[in-house]
Amino acid sequence: CTMPLLRKKPFVPIDLPPDLKADEEVFLNILTKEIFRDYEEYFRRSILCNSLVWTCESTGRSNLTLSEAMQSEAEATEHLQKMPVPLQRGICYIIHKQEIPSLTVFVDEVLVFYRTRFLVGEHVEIAATDKSSGKKEGLISEIVLNPESAY
C-alpha cells in the first residue's frame, strides 16, 4: 500500500529521535506512526492529518484527510489485487505503448482496447447460436489473428 500524498507530494514522516529513552514520555501520532517530544509539534501534525490536503496516490482523489486518503489507498490496492491477470497484462501493454495524459483518457483507451480484443487466459461467457443451449463459460487459450483485420 502506498502512502498518501501531502499537497500532491510524497509525505515523509519525521524520524524517530535517535536519543529516545525507553522511559521518556512522548506523543504518538497513530496515523503517521511518528513520535513527538513536543506537544505543539504533535498538535500541528494532528491538525495537518485532519486537514483536507491529502491525495490518494493510487486513485488521484484529493481534498481528503490523511485517514480518508489511507482508506482510499487500501481500497484501491484491494481492487488491483482482484483484477484478473489477463486484464493486468493488457493494461500494462497500454501504459507501455502510449503516453496517457489523464486518468479519463486512460480509461477510454482501456475500454477501446478491450472492446475488440481477447487475451490468453481470459475467462469469457459464450452465447450459443441456438437459444436452447444458453450461455457457456470458456477460457481463451490461443489468439489466432485474422490477416484481414486491422490491428
Side-chain angles (χ1 to χ4, degrees):
C1 205
T2 59
M3 185 69 175
L5 302 174
L6 172 61
R7 295 183 183 96
K8 306 209 188 270
K9 293 183 180 152
F11 171 70
V12 180
I14 62 169
D15 291 330
L16 189 66
D19 58 343
L20 187 66
K21 294 175 181 51
D23 62 345
E24 190 173 345
E25 288 190 26
V26 293
F27 303 94
L28 170 66
N29 184 303
I30 294 174
L31 290 174
T32 64
K33 310 291 189 260
E34 295 171 299
I35 291 179
F36 297 90
R37 287 182 165 137
D38 181 61
Y39 179 77
E40 291 300 320
E41 288 179 33
Y42 164 78
F43 184 72
R44 279 194 295 276
R45 179 67 79 197
S46 296
I47 295 296
L48 180 64
C49 290
N50 290 304
S51 298
L52 300 175
V53 294
W54 297 89
T55 301
C56 172
E57 184 176 18
S58 299
T59 65
R61 286 183 57 210
S62 59
N63 299 324
L64 304 172
T65 65
L66 177 57
S67 181
E68 292 168 338
M70 291 171 86
Q71 180 65 33
S72 181
E73 292 285 352
E75 289 170 3
T77 300
E78 186 179 320
H79 287 301
L80 285 173
Q81 290 172 344
K82 290 180 182 177
M83 186 182 297
V85 173
L87 182 59
Q88 291 176 19
R89 288 185 190 132
I91 289 173
C92 288
Y93 175 80
I94 292 169
I95 291 170
H96 177 72
K97 294 290 185 183
Q98 310 236 351
E99 288 183 27
I100 301 171
S102 71
L103 185 58
T104 303
V105 172
F106 173 70
V107 170
D108 290 343
E109 291 288 328
V110 170
L111 288 174
V112 167
F113 184 84
Y114 278 105
R115 208 174 274 156
T116 58
R117 291 175 178 84
F118 293 99
L119 299 171
V120 172
E122 182 176 1
H123 290 272
V124 294
E125 218 174 65
I126 304 164
T129 52
D130 74 14
K131 297 183 190 216
S132 62
S133 297
K135 293 182 181 179
K136 296 182 180 182
E137 291 185 15
L139 179 71
I140 304 295
S141 61
E142 180 182 10
I143 304 291
V144 178
L145 297 177
N146 179 353
E148 297 174 13
S149 69
Y151 241 87

